[in-house]
Amino acid sequence: MDSFLKETAQTLLQSKGDLKGVKVILPNRRAGLFFIKYLSHLVDRPLWMPEVITIEDLFYQLAEKRPADKLTLIYELYRVFQALTDRQESFDRFFFWGEMILKDFNDLDQFMVNPEKLFTNLKEQKVLESDWSFLSPEQVKLIREFWASFEGRDRAHQEKFLRFWDMLYPLYTGFNASLESLGLAYGGKIYRDVATDLEALTPMEEQLVFVGFNAFTTTEEKLIKYLVTHFGAKIFWDLDTYYLDRPEQEAGLFFRQYRKDPILGPTFPEHIPNHLQQHKAKINTYNVPLKINQANLVAGLLEQVKGDEDWEETVVILPEEQLLFPLLNVLPDKINRVNVTMGYPVRQTPVYTFLEAVLELQRYSKMEDGELQFYHKPVKDLLSNVFLTEIAPEFTQQVYDDLLRTNAIYFPAKDLRKGGEVFSLVFQLYTAETIMEQLLELIRTLAAPLEEKSMERTYLYQCFKQMNRLKEVFDKEIKEEVSVGFFTKLFRQVFAESRLPFQGEPLEGIQLMGVLETRNLDFKRVIICSMNEGSFPPSKSMDSLVPFNLRQAFGMPVQEQNDAIYAYTFYRLLHRAEEVHLIYSTAGSQGQVGEKSRYIHQLQIEMEHSGIQKEDTLVHVPVNLTKANPILIQKSPSILRVLQRYTDSPGDGQTATSFSPSALNMYLDCRLKFFLTYIAAVEVPDEVQEAVDPAIFGNLVHQSLENLYTGFIARKGRNWVEASDIEGLMDYISPAVEKAIRTQYFLDEDAGLKLTGQLTIARDVLQKYLAGVLEQDRYTTPFEIISLEGNKKYSTQLPVATRSGVRGVSLSGIIDRVDRVGATIRLIDYKSGNDKKDFKGISSLFDREDKSRNKAVMQTLFYGLLYEARHPDNKSPLKPALYSLRDIFQEPFSPYLQEVLGPGKKQEVHDFADYRDDFVGQLTQLLEEIVNPGQNFDQTDDLEKCRLCPFSEICSR
Amino acid sequence: MASPTPFHIYKSSAGSGKTYTLTTAYLKLALENPLAFRQILAVTFTNKATQEMKERIIQELKRIKNKADETQPMDRDLMARWNLKPSELSQRAAMALTAILHDYGSFSVSTIDSFFQQVIRAFAREIDLQAKYDVELDQEGIMERIVDRLLMRVVEEPDLHRWLVAFSMHKIQEGSSWDTKKLIHELGGKIFQEDFKMVQKEVRHFLDGSDNLKKLISHLYQQKQVVVRQAEGMKAEANQIRINHGLEWEDFHGGSKSFVKKLDQLGDPASPIPELTDLQKIKVKNPEEWYTKTSRKKSAIQAAYQEGLGELFSRFEPLLKTWTTLDAMTKNLYVFGLFGYLLEELEALKEEENMLLISEANDFLRSITAENEAPFIYEKVGNRFRHFLLDEFQDTSGFQWESFRPLLLNSLSMGKANLVVGDVKQSIYRWRGGEMRLLMEQVENDTGHFGLEVKNLDTNFRSLPQVVFFNNSLFSRLSRLLAASLTEELGSGMGDLISTAYAEISQKVSLKQDSKGQSGKVRLEFLEPEKPQNFSDAALEALPAMVDELISKGYRQKDIAILVRKNDQAANIADAFMAYEIPGQEKKYEVISDEALFLHKSAVVRCLLAALKLVSNPNDGLSGKNLWVQWARAKNLLLGQEFFLQGTLPEPHSGLERTFFENIHKLKKLPLMDLLEALVELLGFNGELDERAYLSGLKEAVYDFVGKNRADLGSFLEWWEQQGHKRTVKLPDTHDAIRILTIHKSKGLQFKVVLLPFLDWKIFDTAKDPIVWAPYSWDEALPPVIMPLTIRQNLLNSAFAPAYREECLLSHLDTLNMLYVAFTRAEEVIWGLVPHKESKKRNGIGKVDDLLFLALNQRGTEGELDLEAYFDSETLTLDLGNWPSSDPGVKPATDRPEIMAWKYRPWRDSLQVRQVFGDFDETGMIAKRDFGRMVHTLIEKASTRMDFSLELEALYFDGAINKHEMVLLEQQFATLCEVPEFNSWFDDRYEILTEQGILMPGGGSKRPDRLVFKKGAVEVVDFKTGKESQSHKEQVKGYMELIRQIEKGKAVTGFLCYLETGSIIRIS
Ligand code: SF4
């Protein structure tokens, strides 16, 4: 069957013969392209092509005027608005309201509403005066109803509404007057001017032909009727009796009105086609769980199409344009030509996301001591962005590392700018006055090295163009200060709608389109995705400041008209199709459920012919999951070799190493974790952390206390501490803590110390902890400090049976503090956490099944072993001690270990020697297990252990 | 037609045909006239319920339209209403259906939220919202950001700083971490909740008073000191008395563990008054209990008792009460002190990002309906509702009701019909603000004066007879037991709420179910695991075998639903089924669950994420390893050392790795969606793949993300970190698989078989730290401060006992309701697992299993099933009824995965982005070369000089040129016009055609730049840039030839005009 446009072309050609001086007006340009194509297939000799334009073009031609851009218009509106009210609103805040007002003004002009009447406040007025007689009784009723609702108590909201309402008429007139004086106009106004003064039109010689229209605005209708009566314009309607003759079918709403019209009525053809009923297109519907799988389904459907078909005859309609790329990426190979009408959304290009990241950076900048600083998150985002890494790979990497190392929450701009020109442009302060110039400059600089005609350059140029325009408007029109924040919003808005066209011969290959571009086109095979309420038809978007009843009373379009337009768009697609596939998905967005489109309901319930599938086909993707295989590491020769490093014969070319208590604790927790950390040495990437995590806090604790006492020893030149020293030490707490923080974050001595909120709190807590420790030490005085962590690493070896006989296995550790109190040597560990001092016997310390295994006790006992090894002659009792943050503030405080012997029975550990043999026995066993080739490294069964393990991803835990 | 009682309240027990009732009620209103539906608003609880309700209404209309059936009660009802014949009813239905389908937007079945938002949108300006705002659903995320912002302020604000440090110290002393962020986050989250909003004004007022907080703290501190002092005094007193009588504490009954020793424990600063057990409380009053019969010190003890030791104990209780009260006040004091800051930050954040929190909708609406009369609201919204049908009313919140009430009253005052449906027994959304008392009493109080009819729907249409009987008996027992236990625990009258709620528990079996000749099956097994904490493991292990048995009885997987309380239980069950090998079968059971099928369980998904991380940061060694580990998992390979040690990666991994790194630069430049596709291809996941549903799920996640956010990799990875773990695979309900869902989500659904594997939860679980807001008077001059209290059992003995009682009571009701919802989902079979304990170990009713155990071992009352008769104490199983003879029913609709295609083909292979016209040179202006082209385009379009200016302007408005460039172009054109020949082509006295196409036979067309019609002659002009060339001439000659054919008899002249040089060549 011939398409509508082809039929029309034929009729036109037959009736005219010569097409010069013919002006064809179509709803959109795409239809024009197809129209010309059909025409050219019909001629048998060269002929002048008719002029093909849209109705918009026609109005602008007649008015010899074009609308100004939206931004300028809204700003003008804003100026007038400001003059009218005493409540000042910033342009930022006004902007989106302005958009809405402008839309309303456009509507009321397009529909030739009398603004003065519309915006009258009829609250007090009970009767409508006689000059309202242009309204029908129904209209009057609607208006009355609206104003009647103001009766009753006077309320704040109503007053607010009225205050605004009362201003709209002056705003309208003021706005128009001001535009007039500037020589500007907006779309609706141009339409209205043309339609109001039709007599002024110069007689037209061209033959006007309107093709494929459905809904006219009042101004359009006026103009067209005038052209029909005065200049013999012709109209070709693209319609079907199915909806025309059934008054309930909203798709026919406008046609039914026009057919009754004395002027338009006669333009309807005598014979109106009945394709929809006669033609019995095959209509299938599908229900797909995920939106994204619609693309796979379409591809599958296309796959089934026989090879010799013309792809031009197939259209895929995407009411949600976002589905375009998922679809493009699965198109079957046999489709070699694709024509896309929708364009590439600029906001998805890497260039755009880069620029947006640059703006995002500005949101979180601050000046400190005259120096510009940026928040770490956006900086990190930018440093890993390809536009910067590409320019200076080393620099970006180095700064990135710096950022992590110093845990900089704010990072100085000057260090970032060292990367070169682009960096200087990115990491500068953008101010409201200069932001656009700065961005333009950035774009130019980015583009400079790019190959001509490369895709990125094209993207960049598109951005450049848009920005340039914005800038021009701002330079010329807008004197207002806008915030960088507002600019960012505007920037987003402009680019949200910006598209890059695709290359391609528009009339060849499979056609991928948005809904509105299908106007007037016919295809044999029609596939429509997103047949969901909210997508097709799209969700209501009648944002207007004019309440519904008033809109209706004054003939401005309401949802009904909108519905009619969309319904027509849908049904029209079925006119001449032979095969239709309608796809919807049950997944919605934001946790909503996808609802099947009303059109499917309508078809399935109302249209009676054999081609319609009455039950939807359910399409689903099978859910299978491969079982997560466990990780099991057998001790291969190479691993055994690595393990050898822990023994007294580390093996050729290998450096010796030793087991620390934390390594052993880790092994007990999870063998695999030990393997990954110590044998495979998998590196865990750093993160900048605003929070101070327990490990870092722990480091700070150790470091500060070491600083405190090292300083003391250095100052006093002695290493015993007396009660009278404590007071003096208190003064050194603060610097000790500060120094620890510097060390932790690799900050130079002279670099200003900028702490985050969390860290300042941590610092204060630390200071209190140190004071607490000193308080406790006061009771212990006098004592002698034997060693502090930094200056002594203790180590020893234990004989362990290995495959190759008994070997010495190295052990080592750092003891926070060793001191002597009276005859006792104390081995002290500072704990920032909540470690307990109780333990249920030595074997419990090595029992990996024991959920409350006391690691801290195992660690301090381990120190006993180390100390002994270094001081074999020692006769003094060795007393392990834990200074835990929590306990320091508890009364009474005792740092010593307690072995739990039974319920309520505890025994303090006075001397390591009492536990030595037991401990060594257990430890040796453990070490034997570690080096035992038969013992694999496997994953722990205790998922609790995995919760905070950095390898939980690898383990799929 | 106004009915005599416009307002109906339906109390609808489970399975009592609620949807049917609602649908009938809807139709009764909608069939009044074809457009009546526009004035009905039916409110459902969830989005999904909305869909179902809509479908149901459409279906019934369709059915009646085809044939009204007198045997159907619904049809009978409807016919009776208007006295219609079947054919007339059909006709009405047809008309209504048509009207609905063609004004679908007015078909108002919606959730309360979406209706509210509609209203709010209409009032945005009046309530000072911005014109554009986003509705934010992720309150967790917002709280996170608020807390971060709060912490940033610490540096600048010493007060805040001091407060937080004090908070940290307080936590440390309590033995917790110093890091209080999590606590702030948790309790701070209350700002979104209704019970806080109810007291928000008072709280803000209190916190705004500069000294209030400080005063409160010192008050609390002092009062606590007073208690400690007193306790210390008592201790001293006690010891004095003891010493006076020559006693040691060990001399008393019980020796070193003697309760009398508590006197010596008085005065501990952390808990100055030791608690006494119930037994001890009795003992302290009875001197006989103070010594052993044989004690030699009997008389000394008696004397000591008389002298005051006994009396000292009587002081315990009041003092402990004071202490507990003070202590409860202190617990949340620190976070409470931050509420002002949190609210401030919330306001600021909302303003900055134009958002409306979903939780605010109720507040706004409340203000709108309070502020305006209903007609004005309708005028603004543009939709006037006259009838409201509210479903699941027991879960409506106080605010929601307050918002709705004016609208409802408006309707009632006009005598219009309205309807509320709900069931107090199924109120399980208290944690979201659901207020079942509305249904129980308030709605009647608020609207009663308009007259109303309460109807109890007492027939169960859902379940087979034995299932109904069982539930009748079980729940009347359970409610009795709980009511009694509450009365005992909390005092008389406290059981009444439960008794009232469950007063009409007994349901009738419906005719339809009765006539099936099936009995239904109930089985409750008490499992005896080795250790009590292993009950869940035991249950998990038992589940697959239970399913085996059900399948052998003829049930299909989709008939079976497993109900759980918590999401992680659902996940565990899913894992258990995933690991289970069905005896003698290749295939495994499939499960569907919104709570369990997490995307990140898939190796493919994990692999791709590792790859994405690696693209983002190629130095990320961990992801570098993880990528190949997951890849191997996806391909079901074994995982050994080669995946972890340096340089040991085997083929094909290492080859892929090379390709990956070689391409990384290109990958980095791809837009996010494309990047993912490219990685899927690179890693070979486009071929046959098991985890396709998961892969699709990941793509969908990216798809959704890109739609709403900045579409770059870094942002996505961050988002995934925060939100990704919540994404699950979505499957249609029709799929043949076992359903796993939470009891909450199961509300409103029904299944043939319901498995309840974990019947072991705590009835009143204070470990969840329930928070209530309670007033505390402490200063005569000030109104009481309203504090957030963490409910703990000891509050029963404090000034906050009423709050405790209320919470305890409601928690009991919650649990009972949860059980009710769970047990009443089944049509045919209920099968539950309960942990077993010896009865002597069960003291009191603490957990659900205690409750069930007692219920099954107790005599029932008249008319109840003798449950204990069905309980076999050997097997510890209750077994009731018979297995229904299975009816495989309709085959599930066939899924058709085979119509999908999965082959990847990068879109860039088939399509290119078109070059945008123009480019920039270093100075930012249009490059010279393009300048010429631009002039060309302008001239091409413009027919007159005037046109030229217009086109130029258009270009400017398009942003392609700036003002300066506009001037330059204008000048260039003016220069060209100085040549008379050129000028004549723009002279509007001639007929000038620009871009006038020539149609060529056979489908082609030509487009000379310009045609100028001068008397009897046609000039054809083509503009060029660049060098002169012969081909240009040929082209013009070609045009001339065509024109001669069309315009026969006219002289045709041709011109070539080179724009840069201005040279014009005449061609003849
Ligand atoms: S995630 Fe668990 S199993 Fe894996 S290494 Fe860490 S602790 Fe061991």
Side-chain angles (χ1 to χ4, degrees), chain A residues 670 672-673 676 938-940 945-946 949-952 955 957:
Chain A
C670 173
L672 181 67
K673 187 174 177 185
L676 293 172
D938 54 4
Q939 293 164 289
T940 175
K945 302 252 164 70
C946 304
C949 175
F951 305 117
S952 59
C955 290
R957 289 279 167 95

Side-chain angles (χ1 to χ4, degrees), chain A residues 267-441:
Chain A
T267 64
F268 277 67
E270 234 161 81
H271 173 74
I272 290 171
N274 186 11
H275 297 311
L276 287 177
Q277 292 285 73
Q278 284 169 357
H279 193 56
K280 298 195 179 28
K282 198 151 173 32
I283 300 177
N284 299 319
T285 49
Y286 308 84
N287 167 340
V288 180
L290 294 182
K291 288 172 288 209
I292 199 105
N293 288 136
Q294 299 185 83
N296 301 100
L297 177 57
V298 174
L301 293 172
L302 295 175
E303 200 67 78
Q304 289 170 2
V305 175
K306 301 220 177 54
D308 52 356
E309 281 201 44
D310 280 347
W311 287 112
E312 289 78 10
E313 299 282 3
T314 297
V315 67
V316 183
I317 296 159
L318 303 174
E320 277 196 37
E321 72 161 351
Q322 216 199 322
L323 205 55
L324 175 63
F325 290 96
L327 175 59
L328 281 173
N329 280 329
V330 285
L331 283 183
D333 285 338
K334 60 183 175 189
I335 294 180
N336 45 13
R337 278 223 172 76
V338 186
N339 182 43
V340 180
T341 61
M342 295 182 272
Y344 189 94
V346 174
R347 64 174 287 275
Q348 280 184 37
T349 61
V351 174
Y352 171 78
T353 54
F354 175 69
L355 292 177
E356 209 188 324
V358 172
L359 286 173
E360 185 75 9
L361 175 81
Q362 296 296 324
R363 274 185 55 179
Y364 301 102
S365 64
K366 64 173 187 185
M367 289 300 260
E368 221 166 72
D369 308 331
E371 205 182 294
L372 180 62
Q373 315 243 3
F374 290 116
Y375 188 55
H376 69 100
K377 273 193 193 136
V379 172
K380 262 179 60 188
D381 273 0
L382 281 167
L383 286 177
S384 51
N385 190 295
V386 67
F387 281 92
L388 294 186
T389 52
E390 192 174 35
I391 302 172
E394 269 124 60
F395 177 77
T396 45
Q397 188 63 49
Q398 178 219 322
V399 179
Y400 194 91
D401 292 345
D402 267 5
L403 202 96
L404 296 183
R405 205 164 46 91
T406 59
N407 201 58
I409 306 302
Y410 278 90
F411 205 77
K414 68 173 187 323
D415 293 348
L416 292 161
R417 286 211 287 267
K418 289 179 190 145
E421 198 186 355
V422 174
F423 290 80
S424 310
L425 290 169
V426 170
F427 298 104
Q428 59 180 329
L429 187 67
Y430 287 43
T431 65
E433 307 92 72
T434 55
I435 183 159
M436 284 176 262
E437 196 39 67
Q438 285 167 312
L439 274 177
L440 284 173
E441 167 111 38

Side-chain angles (χ1 to χ4, degrees), chain A residues 573-845:
Chain A
L573 277 165
L574 311 183
H575 282 178
R576 297 161 204 246
E578 286 169 19
E579 182 187 322
V580 179
H581 303 273
L582 306 175
I583 305 169
Y584 68 97
S585 99
T586 35
S589 49
Q590 294 227 351
Q592 302 260 299
V593 187
E595 184 181 358
K596 131 171 154 183
S597 168
R598 64 186 72 172
Y599 302 137
I600 300 184
H601 281 304
Q602 291 175 3
L603 286 180
Q604 289 180 339
I605 293 176
E606 296 175 342
M607 208 185 262
E608 289 300 339
H609 74 64
S610 53
I612 296 172
Q613 185 189 340
K614 296 277 174 174
E615 296 282 333
D616 308 339
T617 304
L618 303 167
V619 184
H620 106 283
V621 186
V623 249
N624 295 313
L625 196 62
T626 15
K627 215 166 98 195
N629 274 332
I631 302 178
L632 195 75
I633 311 287
Q634 288 166 345
K635 290 199 178 107
S636 65
S638 59
I639 292 178
L640 287 171
R641 221 174 98 77
V642 180
L643 279 171
Q644 220 185 330
R645 298 170 51 211
Y646 289 91
T647 67
D648 46 11
S649 52
D652 300 337
Q654 298 205 104
T655 39
T657 183
S658 55
F659 289 112
S660 64
S662 39
L664 295 175
N665 270 326
M666 189 186 289
Y667 182 84
L668 284 168
D669 274 352
C670 173
R671 296 188 189 95
L672 181 67
K673 187 174 177 185
F674 171 87
F675 167 79
L676 293 172
T677 310
Y678 292 98
I679 312 290
V682 175
E683 261 180 66
V684 181
D686 274 344
E687 279 294 326
V688 173
Q689 281 172 336
E690 253 155 284
V692 183
D693 78 18
I696 301 222
F697 189 73
N699 286 349
L700 292 174
V701 165
H702 297 269
Q703 197 62 49
S704 330
L705 275 157
E706 187 188 341
N707 295 345
L708 188 65
Y709 276 111
T710 327
F712 172 83
I713 294 169
R715 275 195 310 279
K716 301 276 177 174
R718 61 175 154 92
N719 59 357
W720 71 90
V721 182
E722 286 167 19
S724 57
D725 293 326
I726 299 295
E727 222 31 66
L729 271 165
M730 290 283 181
D731 295 339
Y732 286 92
I733 290 178
S734 174
V737 171
E738 178 154 329
K739 190 168 168 211
I741 293 176
R742 283 181 195 283
T743 317
Q744 174 68 35
Y745 295 119
F746 302 91
L747 298 172
D748 298 336
E749 195 94 21
D750 51 348
L753 192 58
K754 297 270 153 33
L755 303 182
T756 58
Q758 277 283 77
L759 198 53
T760 60
I761 296 167
R763 179 195 58 199
D764 284 29
V765 171
L766 261 176
Q767 290 179 353
K768 293 202 182 243
Y769 173 64
L770 260 65
V773 171
L774 286 181
E775 257 342 302
Q776 295 307 331
D777 282 351
R778 193 200 298 271
Y779 297 124
T780 330
T781 49
F783 59 90
E784 176 198 353
I785 295 173
I786 298 175
S787 75
L788 295 172
E789 57 173 307
N791 54 10
K792 290 217 177 97
K793 180 168 178 176
Y794 289 83
S795 53
T796 184
Q797 291 197 335
L798 266 189
V800 169
T802 72
R803 204 172 32 150
S804 46
V806 174
R807 283 260 189 289
V809 171
S810 311
L811 306 171
S812 69
I814 293 166
I815 312 178
D816 284 350
R817 169 168 139 195
V818 182
D819 64 14
R820 182 199 311 280
V821 182
T824 305
I825 309 268
R826 301 195 308 165
L827 310 168
I828 299 178
D829 203 42
Y830 303 122
K831 289 286 177 202
S832 55
N834 200 2
D835 295 79
K836 301 242 167 12
K837 291 174 295 257
D838 297 355
F839 68 105
K840 291 179 294 217
I842 295 296
S843 60
S844 80
L845 301 178

Side-chain angles (χ1 to χ4, degrees), chain B residues 618-651:
Chain B
N619 287 351
D620 177 351
L622 189 58
S623 297
K625 294 266 186 285
N626 194 26
L627 171 55
W628 304 114
V629 169
Q630 302 300 348
W631 196 87
R633 281 221 174 91
K635 305 270 168 185
N636 213 355
L637 304 175
L638 289 180
L639 290 161
Q641 50 158 335
E642 62 278 19
F643 289 95
F644 303 101
L645 295 178
Q646 279 301 325
T648 50
L649 201 58
E651 287 295 347

Side-chain angles (χ1 to χ4, degrees), chain A residues 100 104 107 113 118-119 138-147 149-150 161 165 168 540-563, chain B residues 35 38-39 103 105-106 108 118 121-123 126 375-385:
Chain A
M100 211 187 273
D104 280 340
D107 274 359
V113 174
L118 173 63
F119 295 132
E138 294 87 61
Q139 289 172 307
V140 172
K141 186 168 163 268
L142 288 171
I143 298 170
R144 281 237 181 81
E145 234 171 68
F146 177 76
W147 291 106
S149 74
F150 279 81
F161 172 80
W165 189 252
L168 285 171
K540 289 191 200 174
S541 62
M542 296 298 298
D543 269 349
S544 168
L545 288 159
V546 183
F548 173 81
N549 269 354
L550 294 185
R551 283 188 78 96
Q552 205 170 20
F554 283 92
M556 288 162 81
V558 290
Q559 191 57 36
E560 195 188 347
Q561 280 75 19
N562 234 359
D563 281 353
Chain B
L35 295 184
R38 291 188 187 165
Q39 296 182 336
D103 185 12
S106 305
S108 303
Q118 202 186 327
R121 209 149 286 270
F123 277 86
E126 282 77 16
F376 185 64
I377 296 174
Y378 291 134
E379 284 300 331
K380 292 261 332 188
V381 175
N383 207 348
R384 174 181 303 267
F385 294 116

